[in-house]
Amino acid sequence: MLILVRHGRTSANAAGLLQGRIDHELDEVGAQQAEQIAMALANGDHRPEAIVTSPLTRAVQTAAATARQLGLMPSVDERWAELAYGDWDGVAISAVPPQAWLSWRADPAFAPPRGESLAELNVRITGACEELAAQASQRNIAVFTHVSPIKSAVRWALGTDEEISWRMHVAQAQITCIGFRNGAPTLQTFNDTSHLSSRT
């Protein structure tokens, strides 16, 4: 099983800012979410046997809570970093011009100024998923990452050529599971937040 976990909340998340490569730590709520994720994974049906994390602090901190719970040592894979928003990194979502949103949604090759396109993201996430597929078909691997990589991995699992990331919502601290049948990825669960308490 490939278990895709979105990191806990940061101050940028709470403020409604685009957060790509800016490297915020978890806020108090995010730290609590990380512990809730750890408990859910440790006690769930698909207890992780290995942990992979994005290099960004918010993902590393979220992964660390599960690693402590399970006695595992996370490995870092740069490919699971968030989409690079370039000049828009740290900008309020509401401040991005409407025409830019239209262009972004219409064209997978569109990229923010000095940023990364969804097409480029898909290339690196497809490679990361394919590299883990053989292992994840035999054991449970938890990947701690971000919104856009999770959407891209779901796109990979579904085998769609169409850019579907704009049609998905990936919640804070959610868990998505991709299983394998005869070597082919299958989406098992998506955007599960049942492990989070109402306080978060």
Side-chain angles (χ1 to χ4, degrees):
M1 187 74 71
L2 189 59
I3 305 162
L4 304 173
V5 184
R6 185 183 174 195
H7 62 82
R9 198 182 80 171
T10 68
S11 59
N13 294 136
L17 307 181
L18 286 173
Q19 184 181 212
R21 302 301 173 81
I22 52 175
D23 205 12
H24 291 295
E25 296 185 351
L26 299 177
D27 65 11
E28 183 177 350
V29 169
Q32 180 185 354
Q33 291 171 334
E35 295 298 333
Q36 292 172 337
I37 289 167
M39 290 297 295
L41 293 179
N43 298 314
D45 294 334
H46 307 294
R47 184 182 174 95
E49 298 161 83
I51 294 175
V52 177
T53 182
S54 154
L56 296 169
T57 299
R58 55 194 184 271
V60 171
Q61 289 179 326
T62 306
T66 296
R68 287 192 301 270
Q69 186 75 232
L70 299 179
L72 298 173
M73 179 65 69
S75 62
V76 175
D77 188 335
E78 300 278 343
R79 291 173 295 182
W80 289 102
E82 179 60 291
L83 184 76
Y85 291 121
D87 291 351
W88 294 351
D89 216 347
V91 170
I93 294 171
S94 59
V96 176
Q99 186 56 50
W101 283 114
L102 292 175
S103 297
W104 211 349
R105 290 174 180 272
D107 182 7
F110 173 87
R114 296 192 293 182
E116 181 182 26
S117 70
L118 292 175
E120 291 170 323
L121 170 76
N122 288 338
V123 169
R124 64 178 167 92
I125 294 301
T126 294
C129 288
E130 289 179 348
E131 187 173 300
L132 289 175
Q135 297 178 59
S137 66
Q138 301 296 321
R139 60 181 186 150
N140 300 321
I141 301 176
V143 178
F144 290 77
T145 183
H146 311 268
V147 168
S148 297
I150 291 171
K151 290 180 176 182
S152 183
V154 169
R155 178 184 181 276
W156 168 78
L158 296 177
T160 176
D161 290 330
E162 182 182 2
E163 183 51 64
I164 61 171
S165 65
W166 298 106
R167 302 183 186 183
M168 287 184 265
H169 171 71
V170 173
Q172 201 76 61
Q174 65 84 67
I175 299 173
T176 286
C177 292
I178 296 173
F180 294 86
R181 184 177 301 134
N182 299 322
T186 60
L187 185 62
Q188 301 288 317
T189 61
F190 175 69
N191 201 41
D192 181 10
T193 58
S194 61
H195 51 283
L196 300 179
S197 74
S198 58
R199 291 177 292 169
T200 62

